[in-house]
Each structure stands twice: as C-alpha cells, then as structure tokens.
Amino acid sequence: MPHSTRLSQPPNTKKATTTEAPPPDGPPEQVPDGAPVDESAVDEAAADTTSETSGSTGGDAVGGWRDRNPAVARAVGRTVTALAAVLVLSALLLPNQLTRLTPGEFLRIPVEGIFGAALLLLLPPKARRVAAVVAGVGLGLRTLLNCLDMGFYSVLARPFDPVLDWILFDDAESFLKDSIGQAGAIGAVLGVVLLVLALLVLMTLAVVRLTRLLVRHSAVATRTTLVLGTVWITCAALGVQLAGVPVAAANTADLVQDSAERLRASLADQQVFAKEAHVDAFRDTPPDQLLTGLRGKDVIFTFIESYGRSAITDPAMASQVDAVLKDGTKRLHKAGFASRSAWLTSPTAGGGSWLAHSTFMSGLWIKNQQRYRTVTSSDRMPLTDAFKRSGAWRTAGIMPGVTRSWPEGKFYGLDHVYDTHHLGYKGPQFSWSRVPDQYSLSAFERLEHGKRHDKPLMSEIILVSSHNPWAPIPKMIGWDELGDGSVYDAIKKAGKDPKEVWKDPAQVRNEYRRAIQYSLHSLISYMEKYGNKNTVLVFLGDHQPVPTVTGENASRDVPVALVAHDPAVLDRVSGWNWQNGLKPGPKTPVWRMDTFRDRFLTAFGPRPGEAKEEAKEEAKEETKGGTPGRSGH
C-alpha cells in the first residue's frame, strides 16, 4: 500500500499533515526531491513517532495505544530492536558443534555483519529491501544447518550432508516413535517444524528491522561500520584472541564455504564410487572355488549394535566389559572353541549401522547413503552372497531391527530373512530394540540352526539390544524360559526410563556398558549351549556409540572376533596376527572394515593342491557309494 494512503489523516481532520515528526532517537534519512522514497525507513520512523494529539492517528488502535503510552512504546520498540540485534549477531557467530558453544564464541566481531551493513547502506531503497529479506532468510537457513551439524556431530560424529542425509530424518522419526511413543514422536516433529518456521520468520523480520535502523541513522551507521571494519582487520592481522577464540570472526562465511565444498564432494562422490564398485576381484571366481576352506561348516556373522573400542578401552567401562570377554573366552574354551580378535575401523560412528554392515560385507567403503544405494543395487558380490553363489550353503538372516520391506536382502544373498514380525516374539519393546538379543538367538536356533538341512547354514544375525537409548535393558534368563517373550513384561517394567537416564551423561555411559555386557553374554551363552564342532562364528561391532559415551574425537574402531571349534579354521588366519581370545589388545592389528571381505575370501579360498585333494576325497566317497554328509544338530 502507498505511503500516502497509510499515513493520511481522516477526512474530517482540519489540519493536513505535511511533515512528520522525527523519531525520538534521530532524524530520518534525507531524501532529495524527486528521489524514490524508502518506504521501509519511513514506516520505521512512523512506527516510532508519537503524535502530539490523540486524534493524529485517527481510528488506528495501535497508534492510539502509542499516543496514550509514549514512554512504554519507545521502550518496547528499543527492546525489540535490541532482541533483533542479539538474534542476528548470535546467528552470525553460532558455531556448528556443541563443544564450541561457549561464551567466548559470541564475544567476537563477525566480518559478515560488517560487509552486510556496508552493502545495505550502499544499495538503493528497493534493492535494499529485497536484500534485507534475502539476507534474513539466508541467515535463518544457515542457522538451521548449524543446528543440524550440531545434532549430527553429537550423534554421528560428523557434519550434516545437505545432499544425502535427508533420508535419515525418517529414521529419526522412527527412533522417536519407538522410544517415546507415537504421540510423543508426532508432537516432537510438529514442534521442530514450528521452530524452523519461527526461526526463518523471526530472522527475516530481525534483519529487516535492523536495516531500517541503519537507514534512519545512516551517518552513525557508516562511521560505526568503518570503525568495526578497521578493528576487524587489525585483530585478524595480529591474531588477537579472547578466551582462546579469535576476535576477528568469519564463522558464517567459513561454514557456507565448508557446506559448499561438502555439497560439491557429495555430488562428485557418486561417479567416483561407481567406478570403485565396478572393480571386484572375486566377481568371476567359479562357485566351486569360493570358500573351500569352510565347506561343511555352519558360519554365523553377527553384528553387535554400537559395540565399539571405547567399551573395551574406556576406563569407566573397561573393567566390567573386559571381565565378560575374559570369562567368555574361558567358557568357550571349555566348550571346545578357540578364538582370535582384532580391530576394524568403521565408516560411521554413533549410528548408520547399515553403512557398516554393507562395508563389511561388500568390501567397499560405504560412508554415506548414496554409496549404500549404489552398492545394494549393483552386481557386487557381498561376503554373504559368496556363500550362496558357491551352492554349498543355505543362507538366512535374523533381522529384529527390520520392520518394513527390506529389498536389500536379495543383494546380500539371503535365502530367507526373519524380520521383527517373523521371530514369534510377543513380548514388550525395549525402547528402540524391539526384540531382546537372547530371544533373537533363541529364535535363530528354533527357526534355522536347530533344524536339519541338506546343506550347511550361513547366517547373518543383527543383535540390537545395545542400540541407543540403552534403557530399559533386558537381562539373561534360562533358554528354556523364553517362550514367546511374554516373560519380558516384568523385566521391562523393572528397567530404567530412558528419559531419566539421558539427563545424566554418567548414567548414559553406565547403561551403555550394561547393554554391551548383555549382548555379549547372550552370544557367548548361545555358543556354549548350541554351538557344535562345525560352528564358526564371526562377531563384531558395527560402530562406536554416540560422543556422549565416547567423548569427542574418539576413534572409529570396533572389536572383531573369530570363534571356531575346528583348529583348521583358525590355522587359515594364522597370518593375520590376531590376538588370542575375545578381547583384542592395544597392539592388535587395525584394519579398515572394507578390507575384511577380500582377506576372508582369500584365507578360506582354495590353496595350492587343495582342489586335487578334494577331488580325491569325492572320488573315494563315490566309490563307497555315499556322499559327504553334514554333521547336523
């Protein structure tokens, strides 16, 4: 609406308004005759102007309130302006990691604010209004991305990827629903949406308001901008710091540049990875040459959720977890099993288990969702599929964390996948973990491992009881007491409330440690009870837990162990130099997780002369009129 219409007097006013009183804190911008009027500046001046008579605003309720309470109106206006300045300054100086969120970060001079003020003072009125709105929206978006970075650093120990990470919000919503219920998850999502909208609107209004203030006090603003610019250059040149933080700040510019570089790298990564995935040294290996060193064995690959190096090396947890591993080594040795252990470096931390699973199985470094989609839709041969391609194994997966259709099962070469709906579990859900680990292993025995098949069994099992938020935690009970899982009702009720646990980082670490102990107990006890001379177990963590447990800058290493009854199996990996027992030592080899597949396929592939010996054995069996059989359960 034109300025003349908004500020015109009512028709019955005797004295026409030809001039406007200056605002209380300074003269309005001087506009030459015939020049375009900066409506935003005039509107701001009009908003702060108080009339000498109550009738000067006609029927406008706001103007009437200002006339009756001029001092209050001025105080409110100045308070709003001050809050707008604080909001914009905080956004310009906001870091993207919680560990850097200190008072010193906000006691600096942002160079973006200096350049922004200079630009707004130089622009003509219409361009200035557009620039103010664009700057407000942009600064709001930058603040939002900073907050996302904070969340990702806190959970995944990495920044948010603006290209590939949007799909993770669906997983976050599912996690909330599993942890705090459907109503709580909906409320949280709505709250986040409202906060995002409020941030964008308030940031834009704040920048527009400050722009008007700059224009109304253009002379003072110009001098202040020049002074601050000089101070910034001086501090930058001398490296002046306050509370260990440089006074000359370029936060927003650096973060924007960093985001742009990440965006470019994400877009370029797809082509680079496609070329890497195309190279597969084992793709053309004949089926009868795959995994000859494991023929006749039941092989189990087990991932323990969030089982990271910190569980073994952190002084706050090491003694208890070490006790489980040492005791487990003794118990398995008594049952006839030997074990070797080492470290693998995971591509992820805090979450993204599927990235670690696909890295371990495919022999490729799957560090983001784009790579995961690429590899699972390719003809790459993952480790589990090598067993299927050999034709010598039946393959199955126990996936208690899978709640929906999982087409990737075909990529992994699994004949049958038992998800959370097919394990027969009727008990309560333990936060995110839908099925207790001991029950999952019992279901595996009932559905697959305990049955007779015409082939040995290769299985992939995911144990999820050690998944965040680690409360409540199941406990071990007799294997014959599990039933359909209803026995866990009382166990869950006696457990801790995750909302209470997460109020104290010390409690979080303690409950994480207890969850890892439970998962290890479940697996070791299963091997004691159901393992036999043909059982071979490979178990490992998928990634480290969140930084709340590990602290900042923790490694991404996870333990891995190989357990077998037959000494010939461990003889195959003698050259790996792994540690004896379930607990890897500080000097044990550390491999990248993507190197395991090729090392494993090589170690258990045919050796020179082995094919001839196998042919002789088969010929002997045929002469006897029989065929090699599997030692069943």
Side-chain angles (χ1 to χ4, degrees):
M1 183 181 294
H3 170 66
S4 59
T5 303
R6 286 198 294 264
L7 297 182
S8 61
Q9 297 287 349
N12 62 349
T13 301
K14 295 180 179 180
K15 182 179 179 181
T17 302
T18 57
T19 61
E20 297 175 353
D25 47 359
E29 179 185 15
Q30 300 299 316
V31 182
D33 293 340
V37 178
D38 183 354
E39 296 179 8
S40 63
V42 177
D43 287 347
E44 178 69 14
D48 288 345
T49 301
T50 56
S51 303
E52 293 182 2
T53 64
S54 59
S56 62
T57 57
D60 189 285
V62 176
W65 178 85
R66 287 178 175 276
D67 285 343
R68 292 190 299 272
N69 306 278
V72 176
R74 283 195 295 271
V76 170
R78 289 169 181 171
T79 300
V80 172
T81 299
L83 291 175
V86 170
L87 179 63
V88 171
L89 185 62
S90 299
L92 289 171
L93 295 173
L94 183 70
N96 67 339
Q97 297 185 49
L98 287 174
T99 54
R100 291 176 50 198
L101 204 59
T102 61
E105 287 284 341
F106 298 95
L107 299 177
R108 304 189 294 158
I109 304 173
V111 69
E112 302 85 2
I114 297 172
F115 276 111
L119 178 63
L120 291 171
L121 287 168
L122 292 173
L123 287 174
K126 290 184 179 180
R128 181 167 56 242
R129 288 194 295 273
V130 173
V133 172
V134 171
V137 174
L139 192 55
L141 291 174
R142 180 63 259 175
T143 304
L144 175 61
L145 289 176
N146 278 0
C147 292
L148 288 172
D149 278 353
M150 288 184 196
F152 271 67
Y153 273 116
S154 299
V155 177
L156 301 177
R158 65 171 178 82
F160 173 72
D161 189 316
V163 176
L164 304 174
D165 283 340
W166 296 105
I167 190 173
L168 298 182
F169 291 110
D170 180 57
D171 295 298
E173 190 272 337
S174 297
F175 174 77
L176 285 174
K177 184 169 62 177
D178 293 337
S179 300
I180 61 178
Q182 180 78 22
I186 293 175
V189 171
L190 290 177
V192 169
V193 171
L194 291 175
L195 283 174
V196 169
L197 293 176
L199 173 65
L200 296 176
V201 172
L202 291 176
M203 193 67 71
T204 303
L205 293 175
V207 173
V208 169
R209 186 177 185 88
L210 295 178
T211 300
R212 293 172 178 172
L213 185 65
L214 286 175
V215 172
R216 284 166 37 216
H217 303 283
S218 58
V220 175
T222 300
R223 289 194 297 269
T224 303
T225 301
L226 291 174
V227 170
L228 288 175
T230 303
V231 173
W232 189 93
I233 292 173
T234 303
C235 290
L238 298 178
V240 178
Q241 293 190 353
L242 183 63
V245 180
V247 172
N251 252 31
T252 302
D254 290 342
L255 291 172
V256 168
Q257 181 181 2
D258 182 60
S259 295
E261 290 177 354
R262 275 187 271 147
L263 177 63
R264 178 191 57 78
S266 295
L267 294 174
D269 182 67
Q270 183 175 1
Q271 294 181 344
V272 173
F273 181 69
K275 293 180 180 179
E276 293 178 4
H278 184 69
V279 179
D280 188 348
F282 290 90
R283 176 185 286 115
D284 299 324
T285 302
D288 62 351
Q289 299 297 301
L290 287 170
L291 299 160
T292 55
L294 289 172
R295 297 297 170 104
K297 306 297 183 185
D298 290 328
V299 182
I300 306 170
F301 293 100
T302 302
F303 289 93
I304 298 179
E305 172 66 36
S306 299
Y307 177 37
R309 184 165 191 151
S310 295
I312 295 177
T313 60
D314 188 326
M317 300 177 278
S319 60
Q320 297 96 325
V321 176
D322 287 358
V324 175
L325 294 174
K326 289 179 180 178
D327 180 64
T329 300
K330 293 178 181 178
R331 289 161 56 187
L332 291 176
H333 179 74
K334 186 176 180 180
F337 291 96
S339 55
R340 303 288 184 272
S341 58
W343 305 104
L344 298 177
T345 302
S346 175
T348 184
S353 302
W354 60 94
L355 303 181
H357 300 171
S358 55
T359 294
F360 179 82
M361 293 299 182
S362 72
L364 295 169
W365 193 247
I366 313 299
K367 62 181 181 179
N368 56 48
Q369 191 65 21
Q370 179 61 57
R371 287 189 168 211
Y372 178 76
R373 288 195 295 260
T374 299
V375 73
T376 54
S377 60
S378 71
D379 62 352
R380 180 83 176 182
M381 183 183 72
L383 185 54
T384 45
D385 190 40
F387 286 85
K388 181 179 178 64
R389 293 191 189 190
S390 71
W393 279 271
R394 170 179 168 80
T395 60
I398 303 296
M399 309 289 176
V402 174
T403 60
R404 292 174 284 187
S405 174
W406 192 56
E408 293 92 329
K410 295 181 179 179
F411 167 75
Y412 287 110
L414 301 175
D415 293 320
H416 193 88
V417 173
Y418 299 90
D419 63 20
T420 188
H421 304 295
H422 298 94
L423 296 176
Y425 182 68
K426 304 298 182 182
Q429 181 172 323
F430 287 78
S431 293
W432 186 90
S433 306
R434 295 177 177 270
V435 183
D437 289 346
Q438 187 184 8
Y439 185 92
S440 294
L441 292 167
S442 175
F444 168 60
E445 184 65 22
R446 169 170 45 86
L447 297 170
E448 285 287 348
H449 190 252
K451 292 182 176 180
R452 278 193 169 273
H453 303 291
D454 58 352
K455 296 179 181 179
L457 180 66
M458 189 290 302
S459 310
E460 180 183 358
I461 302 175
I462 312 297
L463 299 182
V464 298
S465 289
S466 52
H467 193 289
N468 180 340
W470 307 305
I473 301 171
K475 68 177 184 179
M476 292 294 296
I477 58 179
W479 288 94
D480 56 351
E481 299 174 13
L482 292 170
D484 64 359
S486 300
V487 67
Y488 287 105
D489 286 325
I491 296 175
K492 179 185 178 181
K493 290 178 181 178
K496 295 184 178 181
D497 185 342
K499 295 189 289 296
E500 294 300 318
V501 168
W502 278 81
K503 292 179 180 178
D504 180 8
Q507 278 202 64
V508 173
R509 286 190 289 273
N510 185 62
E511 295 309 300
Y512 163 76
R513 185 259 306 164
R514 291 182 61 235
I516 292 296
Q517 288 179 279
Y518 167 75
S519 295
L520 290 171
H521 274 306
S522 298
L523 188 57
I524 293 167
S525 178
Y526 173 84
M527 287 291 290
E528 276 187 302
K529 185 173 180 63
Y530 298 110
N532 59 59
K533 66 179 183 179
N534 287 320
T535 305
V536 176
L537 169 68
V538 178
F539 75 92
L540 67 151
D542 46 19
H543 54 70
Q544 285 264 54
V546 295
T548 304
V549 175
T550 65
E552 300 297 326
N553 303 315
S555 78
R556 294 195 171 193
D557 296 345
V558 298
V560 58
L562 174 60
V563 181
H565 197 288
D566 185 351
V569 173
L570 295 180
D571 287 344
R572 290 268 185 162
V573 300
S574 58
W576 289 2
N577 298 318
W578 283 19
Q579 178 88 21
N580 288 332
L582 300 179
K583 177 192 171 185
K587 296 183 179 180
T588 307
V590 181
W591 300 345
R592 277 196 7 160
M593 193 176 280
D594 58 334
T595 65
F596 184 86
R597 185 203 75 151
D598 287 8
R599 291 176 185 266
F600 189 89
L601 290 174
T602 300
F604 293 102
R607 291 176 173 177
E610 188 176 65
K612 294 181 180 179
E613 291 298 324
E614 288 183 357
K616 290 181 181 179
E617 290 297 324
E618 291 179 1
K620 290 180 181 179
E621 292 292 338
E622 290 177 1
T623 302
K624 295 177 182 179
T627 56
R630 172 193 176 217
S631 295
H633 305 282

